[in-house]
Structure formats: structure tokens, C-alpha cells
């Protein structure tokens, strides 16, 4: 559907970046929550990388096929 709920148990997200397969940032949101919804509905079908920054400094990378 293009909407992806992401949750962490290791802290609070501080920034979420969406990148295309070439590494170009095509969207981001700043949030302070342990659960976020990443909305890819306006983007073409394809593979995207979601980079999640957590308040502890940890960075998590997810690959999502939209």
C-alpha cells in the first residue's frame, strides 16, 4: 500500500531519511517517537532505503520495496 509502520524498542527515532537506490535523499522527517509511519505512496514503485536515526546515535538501515 506504500505505508510502512516502523517501530523500535531501542529508543526514540529522531530522524527518518528515505533514499533512492542511488543514495539520493528523496524525503525525510524529523520525529521524536518510537513508532513512525513512512509514506512512500507518492513515489514510483521500486527499492528504497530508509535510514533511521535513534536518539542514542544508533543508525538503522531498512530496504523497502514499494
Amino acid at each position: 500500500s506504500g505505508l510502512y509502520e516502523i517501530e523500535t524498542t531501542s529508543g526514540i527515532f529522531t530522524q527518518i531519511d528515505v533514499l533512492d537506490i542511488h543514495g539520493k535523499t528523496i524525503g525525510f522527517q524529523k520525529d521524536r517517537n518510537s513508532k513512525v509511519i513512512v509514506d512512500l505512496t507518492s513515489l514510483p514503485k521500486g527499492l528504497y532505503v530508509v535510514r533511521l536515526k535513534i536518539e542514542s546515535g544508533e543508525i538503522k538501515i531498512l530496504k523497502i520495496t514499494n
Side-chain angles (χ1 to χ4, degrees), residues 6-64:
I6 303 170
E7 189 170 4
T8 183
T9 56
S10 23
I12 302 290
F13 294 122
T14 57
Q15 184 169 333
I16 299 95
D17 299 308
V18 178
L19 299 92
D20 66 14
I21 58 171
H22 304 289
K24 179 181 173 190
T25 300
I26 54 174
F28 74 94
Q29 63 190 62
K30 291 191 181 265
D31 207 335
R32 297 213 36 94
N33 206 331
S34 61
K35 185 190 303 185
V36 296
I37 294 180
V38 175
D39 184 354
L40 302 180
T41 56
S42 64
L43 298 175
K45 300 273 185 220
L47 179 64
Y48 295 92
V49 175
V50 178
R51 181 173 52 212
L52 305 152
K53 296 181 183 176
I54 299 174
E55 66 183 347
S56 65
E58 181 181 359
I59 296 176
K60 294 189 178 207
I61 303 291
L62 299 176
K63 293 180 184 173
I64 296 177

